[in-house]
Amino acid sequence: MKDRFGREITYLRLSVTELCNLRCRYCMPAEGICKKRHEDMLTEEEMLTAVRAAASLGICKLRITGGEPLVKKNILSICRNAAGIPGIEELCITTNGILLPELAMPLREAGVDRINMSLDTLDPQKYSHITRIGSLKDALLGLQAALDAGFKRVKMNTVLIGGFNDDEIQNLAELTLRYPVDVRFIEYMPMPGALEFGPDAYIPCDMVLKCLPRLEPVADESRVARCYRLPGALGNVGLISAVTNDFCAECNRIRLTADGKLKPCLHSGQEIPIKGLSQEEMTEQIKAAILAKPRCHTLLSAGAHSHAGRAMYTIGG
Ligand code: SAM
Ligand code: SF4
C-alpha cells in the first residue's frame, strides 16, 4: 500500500520485547528497564495476527527486533510462524548477538533469512563500558555462530560515537577483510531517555570516508545505506546517515512496538494501538498508520532531540 506521498510501504519492524540482556548507553537510561505489565504486551498470537494483517496490505519484509529479541522465550516459535505467513518474503532479525551461539542454527531452521548484529567496538573494555554489562568475547562468539550457521550477508551495525569509537573506524571496517560481513556505521541519534553523550558524540558518517580514502563506492540494494568496499574485502562498508542526511524520501517502513503501538515514523510521537483487536480491525489500524506517515521527520542534532517519545529499546531500532 502507498502512503500519502507515494511511498510503497513494504517493511514492518516488529519489536517482540522491551527486555534486554545488555544496557547500551545510547539506547537505555542508566536506571535500566521499567518492566511493563505482562497483560499490556502483545501476545505471540497478536503479533502474528498483526503480521498477517500487514502482509494483506503488501508488507513483504519483516524484521524482528526489540529490546533484545533473542531473550524472548518463544522467539523461535514467533519466527517460524511469521516466516510461514503468505506474503512475507524476507524475515530478518536484529540482535546484539550474545545468544547467537545457542540460537543461530535454530533461527535459521525457523526460517530467518538474515541477521543484523550490533557491535560498536572491538576493545573488550570499551564494549563492557558501552553495554554496561556485556562481554566482547560473547558478542564475537555470536558473530562466528551466525556465520557458521550459514547466514549470508550478515550485517554488523556500529553506532558511530565521537570520542568513543571514532578511533576504531579502520579496525571495524577491516572486519570486512576477514569476515563475509557488511559493516554499517550508523550516526548516533538523540533518542529520549539515553542522552548521556555530549555534542561531540554526534559525528557524521562521512568521517568514515575521510578515515578510509581506499573505500570505493559500490551499488547495493539498501535504501538507507550508502555502500562502499575496501579493495579485496568480503563485504561492504555502509554509511547510514540517520542524522546528517535523512532518508525519509526512501522510507518504506512502519513499526510495531512490543506493547502494541504502531509507529508510522521512528521520530514521531504518534502511536496507533492494536492490542486486543481482530485481524480486520488491525488491518484498518495499519492502513491508518501508513496514511499517517509524515513526509519527513523533524531535524535531529545534539540540540534537537528525536520526538519519538520513547527510548529506543521500547521501539525497536
Ligand atoms: N538489541 C538488538 C540490538 O542491539 O541489535 C535490537 C534492538 S536495538 C534498539 C536496534 C539497533 O538500534 C541497534 O543496532 C542499536 O545500535 C541501534 N540504536 C539504539 N539506540 C540508538 C541511537 N541512539 N542511535 C543510533 N542507533 C541506535
Ligand atoms: Fe539492548 Fe540493543 Fe538497546 Fe543495546 S541497543 S540496550 S542490545 S536493545
Side-chain angles (χ1 to χ4, degrees), residues 26-27 65-68 94-96 118 157 159 187 189 191 312 317:
Y26 49 75
C27 176
T65 178
E68 172 49 41
T94 299
T95 170
N96 59 35
S118 305
N157 290 341
V159 181
E187 287 173 356
M189 295 183 282
M191 301 303 290
M312 198 67 149

Side-chain angles (χ1 to χ4, degrees), residues 96-315:
N96 59 35
I98 299 293
L99 294 176
L100 281 176
E102 56 206 84
L103 284 173
M105 192 54 98
L107 285 170
R108 184 127 196 265
E109 286 163 1
V112 174
D113 297 300
R114 279 155 84 148
I115 287 190
N116 284 12
M117 201 187 117
S118 305
L119 186 64
D120 303 316
T121 172
L122 293 172
D123 177 306
Q125 266 94 43
K126 282 163 77 176
Y127 187 87
S128 299
H129 173 76
I130 196 81
T131 62
R132 292 196 183 101
I133 51 176
S135 148
L136 176 66
K137 193 164 147 257
D138 293 339
L140 292 176
L141 287 172
L143 176 61
Q144 192 59 54
L147 297 172
D148 291 347
F151 283 101
K152 299 276 177 276
R153 297 211 52 199
V154 171
K155 289 185 180 153
M156 228 193 64
N157 290 341
T158 297
V159 181
L160 191 57
I161 303 172
F164 173 69
N165 60 4
D166 47 339
D167 58 337
E168 290 189 74
I169 289 173
Q170 180 168 343
N171 282 353
L172 287 159
E174 285 182 355
L175 279 178
T176 64
L177 298 173
R178 299 201 297 282
Y179 298 101
V181 297
D182 289 354
V183 173
R184 307 185 325 155
F185 292 96
I186 303 174
E187 287 173 356
Y188 168 49
M189 295 183 282
M191 301 303 290
L195 292 163
E196 70 171 72
F197 296 99
D200 294 346
Y202 297 85
I203 52 173
C205 270
D206 284 356
M207 177 78 92
V208 175
L209 299 176
K210 287 206 184 98
C211 280
L212 293 170
R214 292 176 291 146
L215 282 174
E216 293 161 2
V218 289
D220 190 279
E221 72 206 17
S222 171
R223 299 169 79 100
V224 298
R226 285 175 286 145
C227 293
Y228 300 84
R229 207 171 249 252
L230 289 169
L234 305 169
N236 292 343
V237 172
L239 308 185
I240 304 185
S241 311
V243 173
T244 57
N245 190 7
D246 71 63
F247 33 80
C248 301
E250 294 294 316
C251 184
N252 63 345
R253 59 190 65 174
I254 53 170
R255 293 178 152 81
L256 177 57
T257 65
D259 60 351
K261 307 292 191 309
L262 288 161
K263 280 188 86 69
C265 169
L266 170 60
H267 297 297
S268 149
Q270 187 173 13
E271 299 191 346
I272 298 173
I274 62 154
K275 181 152 178 73
L277 302 185
S278 67
Q279 184 173 330
E280 290 67 32
E281 290 164 335
M282 284 190 192
T283 307
E284 290 309 310
Q285 293 292 72
I286 295 169
K287 275 188 201 163
I290 291 175
L291 292 175
K293 270 182 80 63
R295 183 192 289 276
C296 208
H297 61 70
T298 53
L299 204 69
L300 300 174
S301 72
H305 300 162
S306 168
H307 292 178
R310 334 162 143 231
M312 198 67 149
Y313 73 95
T314 72
I315 303 174

